Amino acid sequence: MMSGGIPRSIFVLSMVSMALTSASCVFNTLLPIYMVTELKMSMRTMGMFEGMLEAFSYVVRMFSGVISDRMTSRKAAITAGFVMGAAAKFGMSFATSTVQLFMTKAVDRLGNGVQAAPRDALIGDLSPSTSRSACFGFAQSMRKWGSFMGAGLAFALMKASDNNYRAIFLLASAVSALSTIAFVTLFMRDVRSMGVDFYRTLSVIALYGLGHINESLLEARAIEVGFGKAESTLVVALLCFSVFLCAYPLGKLDDKYGHATTFALGMAALVAGDLVLLFSGQWPWAVFVACGFWGAHWAVVQGPMLSAVVGMAPPHLKGTAFGIFYTMMALVAMAANTMFGSIWHAHSATAAFALSAGIIAVTMLLTPLLLPESAKRGRHVAAAAAKGSGGAGSGGLKPAAA
């Protein structure tokens, strides 16, 4: 208990909220100026823009409150909201049109709405009945102090950077990301009790994700090599059809032979797709051929990979495991897409595809070392091991009580 009757946990949560609010206030202070002076938005459009986003935020808060009452962990909902807000701020930093800004701002409001009700409910859960109002007042004071600091920093940074909006937005985004990491590290003890095998599996998934190129860049490549806008949409259709064909068989294969086998197949498919795309300049139809390989890769991402996450998690922490997984995937996806997009812009599409193939090839070599033995074994291996140890004294399987 801190002085003044404020529990230490509420103090930590309030400090994190203060930092996040400070980062948000930098955006809230500068975005109206940016929209009017840089995007040339009219007052009517700005009014509609902010009105729709504000209404959206309140609707989300209503549903997030109902959902948080039914969740076993309010902290997971808060973390999800914090992650969405941090990712959206990086997106807003690179927005160059009203539509892009609206979409990323909507995600930011969604994140704010998702975390607001569970955060306030958590404060209520953690507050002693004798000082509950003081706890809520302290949390509100810290958020307002964060708003004050954010607005002041917006002024100081505009002066210091000669009105460099992007640099200021990126700095605020970094503060938001670091605050989210601090919350997860300091507040979610379950994150530290997931076990070594879980994080070893997660490290393989992270490397795998770092080599993944978003399908939107594949559509862009289709246009770049000469296909029309309508034909380029077939990229998504073919990818989905390939996943449809591969997902169930690969899931069955994963159950039987283990994650090491399916991860290797998914990585090999992604490398094959990247190598085919290297020839798309001379042979445009390679873009659509690559969709078949990438579909197999996607089938692993959306099936066996999720199975690995839940399989490595302690039985009572499966929800937390998915929260950690999706947080990591959000950060990896943001890093990978920024990296590949920048390389494509600065060099060429083939450079991006070659780098993707190289990252995945290295990951394939590291997977046998990083993936724990329990993740490598499939059903038939586990069943054989169980049969072999069934009669071995205390180590064998015992019949369940009636």
Side-chain angles (χ1 to χ4, degrees):
M1 186 78 69
M2 307 289 291
S3 59
I6 306 298
R8 187 178 299 275
S9 55
I10 291 180
F11 179 83
V12 172
L13 177 59
S14 298
M15 293 300 103
V16 172
S17 294
M18 178 189 71
L20 288 166
T21 303
S22 178
S24 294
C25 196
V26 170
F27 279 90
N28 294 338
T29 302
L30 293 181
L31 277 179
I33 303 169
Y34 178 75
M35 289 188 289
V36 171
T37 60
E38 303 298 321
L39 300 182
K40 309 300 180 185
M41 188 181 292
S42 67
M43 293 299 106
R44 179 181 179 182
T45 303
M46 183 185 292
M48 294 174 61
F49 182 97
E50 292 295 342
M52 287 189 291
L53 288 172
E54 194 68 23
F56 177 67
S57 177
Y58 282 115
V59 170
V60 170
R61 287 189 188 200
M62 177 184 69
F63 286 108
S64 70
V66 174
I67 293 170
S68 72
D69 286 338
R70 288 161 173 74
M71 291 183 68
T72 57
S73 173
R74 300 193 197 279
K75 298 172 188 176
I78 296 170
T79 301
F82 285 175
V83 169
M84 281 190 282
K89 287 177 175 64
F90 278 105
M92 285 189 284
S93 301
F94 292 100
T96 56
S97 69
T98 302
V99 174
Q100 291 175 351
L101 190 61
F102 182 85
M103 296 299 291
T104 51
K105 185 68 173 173
V107 175
D108 183 58
R109 290 294 176 91
L110 175 63
N112 185 54
V114 164
Q115 61 87 20
R119 180 201 63 207
D120 291 341
L122 183 61
I123 291 174
D125 292 341
L126 298 173
S127 302
S129 58
T130 55
S131 60
R132 183 162 294 141
S133 294
C135 290
F136 275 105
F138 177 77
Q140 178 68 0
S141 293
M142 291 300 97
R143 289 197 294 272
K144 287 303 177 184
W145 178 249
S147 298
F148 170 76
M149 288 197 303
L153 281 171
F155 167 77
L157 292 171
M158 285 289 278
K159 287 290 188 181
S161 67
D162 194 23
N163 302 334
N164 189 332
Y165 290 99
R166 177 165 293 180
I168 297 171
F169 289 158
L170 285 173
L171 180 61
S173 301
V175 170
S176 182
L178 290 172
S179 300
T180 301
I181 294 171
F183 175 79
V184 171
T185 303
L186 298 173
F187 221 83
M188 295 190 68
R189 296 177 183 174
D190 293 342
V191 173
R192 301 192 292 272
S193 60
M194 297 302 294
V196 175
D197 283 358
F198 175 81
Y199 286 108
R200 286 179 62 184
T201 303
L202 209 63
S203 68
V204 174
I205 295 173
L207 289 171
Y208 192 175
L210 196 61
H212 168 71
I213 299 178
N214 189 274
E215 65 272 13
S216 60
L217 294 180
L218 196 56
E219 286 188 274
R221 181 57 174 171
I223 293 175
E224 196 174 69
V225 297
F227 288 104
K229 295 176 182 177
E231 289 81 0
S232 299
T233 61
L234 293 174
V235 164
V236 177
L238 287 172
L239 277 171
C240 292
F241 185 69
S242 180
V243 175
F244 161 73
L245 292 176
C246 298
Y248 180 67
L250 283 172
K252 295 280 286 184
L253 192 72
D254 188 79
D255 286 336
K256 188 173 183 180
Y257 293 106
H259 304 312
T261 300
T262 43
F263 279 19
L265 288 174
M267 292 177 197
L270 181 53
V271 170
D274 287 335
L275 294 178
V276 169
L277 285 166
L278 292 178
F279 299 97
S280 58
Q282 298 82 24
W283 184 46
W285 287 99
V287 172
F288 296 107
V289 174
C291 290
F293 292 110
W294 277 28
H297 147 67
W298 262 113
V300 172
V301 171
Q302 297 175 354
M305 190 175 287
L306 299 180
S307 174
V309 171
V310 75
M312 291 293 104
H316 64 294
L317 294 177
K318 295 187 187 298
T320 301
F322 278 115
I324 297 169
F325 167 73
Y326 285 121
T327 300
M328 181 209 69
M329 290 302 289
L331 297 173
V332 169
M334 183 171 59
N337 287 310
T338 301
M339 175 178 65
F340 289 123
S342 300
I343 290 172
W344 191 319
H345 177 76
H347 300 285
S348 65
T350 54
F353 296 135
L355 179 60
S356 170
I359 291 173
I360 296 300
V362 171
T363 303
M364 289 179 70
L365 295 174
L366 292 175
T367 296
L369 301 175
L370 293 175
L371 203 65
E373 288 299 322
S374 55
K376 296 175 184 177
R377 293 196 300 266
R379 184 182 58 215
H380 74 302
V381 177
K387 185 177 180 180
S389 61
S394 61
L397 296 175
K398 295 185 171 79

